[in-house]
Amino acid sequence: MNDSKIINDPVFGFIKIPRGLLLNIVQHPLMQRLTRIKQNGMASVVYPGAQHTRFLHSIGAFHLMSEAVLSLEQKGVFIFDSEAEAVEAAILMHDIGHAPFSHVLENTLIHGITHEEISLMMMQRINDEMHGELNLAIKIFKDEYAKKFLHQLISSQLDVDRLDYLRRDSFFTGVTEGNIGSARIIKMLNVVDDSLVVESKAIYSIENYLTSRRLMYWSVYLHKTVVAYERTLINCIRRAEYLAKQGWDIFASPALKYFLYNDINADWFTSHPEALDMYSQLDDSDIWSAVKVWAQSDDKLLSMLADDVINRHIFKVEVREEPVSDEEQHELRKSLAEKAGISYDDAGYLMSVNTIQKDMYDINDDHISILYKDGTIKDITEASELLNVDLLSKKVRKYYLCYQRF
């Protein structure tokens, strides 16, 4: 009997999933749910090719993790087979708790609880079903295991999660600037004092990685049209939530209804065991089917916003270097209320003001350490000739003003 299953991935080619624990995770319903959640949320509004899923990304991250483990072992870093399997299991499940449209609905349908916390709840549930086979994987995921470098491979400034999504999102969007040399970076990884380092031969690949990451954020993930489309959808769902709380009968799948009619936060999740079941039934299709029906709603605002989402009638967006003044927001809201023939209060659903900040590299958060032949270690900010500290850690902040077009 064949001892592995093969997945043909357009980015990395054939990826082997060994039978046993890892294949059982891949085939688990909570993992299969990720095949129905888009990796890039609403980015396909700008890049129509971005149709790939969270599932595909998880498989790619798993592949890079197994490559990284192999590369480290070849350099004499001792990793038990059980540790290798556990770190591969952890990276497979790292995104398992994502909401529909990835990050978009994280503060809309749920409040005060992150997808990472929900991922952990789902891992615990799978672990219970598998009689504790994931104990070690969960320990590594939570950074409670003695070998800290294993956790760094899952979550750090240079983890396999980022190495996969930059490569993958660049491939599917066609934004070639994001195409990083993930294979070279992985081959150059090493461990010193239980900490992940990169050999100095890879310094240019790391510079390229950091630059690509910045480019991908501003040209894909935080592209102004993508942000505006996300705000249109968020406001549409906020309106549906408001009407649900007012006693309206809002069309939705049972799972989505649960989140529209209840105020769900971290406490709710811990005190209502059914919350996780309901959450695990939610995917992108629940949102699309509801929004299609809402476009015919008797509520003028809900139908307008739903129609915007369905027919790609995106909020107009202005990106500013300075915050949008209260006065300007007030005038805009007044004008929107007038044009739409609705109250000033309701006009708040037709606009959105957001501050978006993205750091290229946070020296306080975590380090990318460069290892030289003589054994010395320097942070990338010191090691790089191309990237100086000021440039690397410069905080870029932009103010987005989004509003309904008339």
Side-chain angles (χ1 to χ4, degrees), residues 26-57:
V26 169
Q27 292 174 337
H28 194 280
L30 289 177
M31 194 72 194
Q32 287 299 313
R33 168 182 171 267
L34 298 183
T35 62
R36 302 186 298 278
I37 293 180
K38 292 246 187 82
Q39 167 76 2
N40 288 152
M42 314 291 282
S44 59
V45 73
V46 179
Y47 301 104
Q51 300 291 340
H52 56 304
T53 63
R54 285 268 152 199
F55 178 80
L56 198 53
H57 158 61

Side-chain angles (χ1 to χ4, degrees), residues 15 55 77 88 93 126 143 164 172 176 188 193 200 205 223-224 242 252 261 282 287 293 328 333 337 359 371 381:
I15 296 175
F55 178 80
V77 177
E88 287 164 8
M93 297 182 292
I126 299 173
D143 200 12
D164 179 80
F172 282 100
T176 49
M188 294 294 137
D193 296 333
S200 59
S205 302
H223 185 290
K224 64 178 195 157
Y242 169 78
Y261 281 85
L282 275 183
I287 307 296
V293 175
E328 189 183 350
R333 194 159 168 175
D359 311 334
L371 173 68
T381 47

Side-chain angles (χ1 to χ4, degrees), residues 197-211:
V197 296
V198 188
E199 290 165 10
S200 59
K201 284 183 285 191
I203 202 158
Y204 299 121
S205 302
I206 299 294
E207 290 172 339
N208 177 42
Y209 158 80
L210 288 169
T211 314

Side-chain angles (χ1 to χ4, degrees), residues 271-328:
S271 56
H272 292 70
E274 81 283 355
L276 195 62
D277 295 326
M278 287 298 185
Y279 186 89
S280 59
Q281 287 172 38
L282 275 183
D283 56 49
D284 293 5
S285 55
D286 294 74
I287 307 296
W288 280 123
S289 57
V291 172
K292 276 159 61 181
V293 175
W294 295 347
Q296 315 302 320
S297 171
D298 291 339
D299 179 71
K300 188 175 185 177
L301 263 177
L302 185 62
S303 66
M304 184 191 297
L305 290 164
D307 185 74
D308 286 349
V309 174
I310 293 294
N311 295 312
R312 201 180 177 278
H313 188 68
I314 302 160
F315 279 0
K316 188 168 172 48
V317 60
E318 295 173 21
V319 182
R320 309 278 184 84
E321 297 301 314
E322 297 295 323
V324 184
S325 72
D326 292 346
E327 180 60 28
E328 189 183 350

Side-chain angles (χ1 to χ4, degrees), residues 4-5 17-28 92:
S4 63
K5 197 170 177 68
I17 315 282
R19 285 188 190 277
L21 178 67
L22 296 167
L23 186 57
N24 292 342
I25 291 169
V26 169
Q27 292 174 337
H28 194 280
L92 264 179

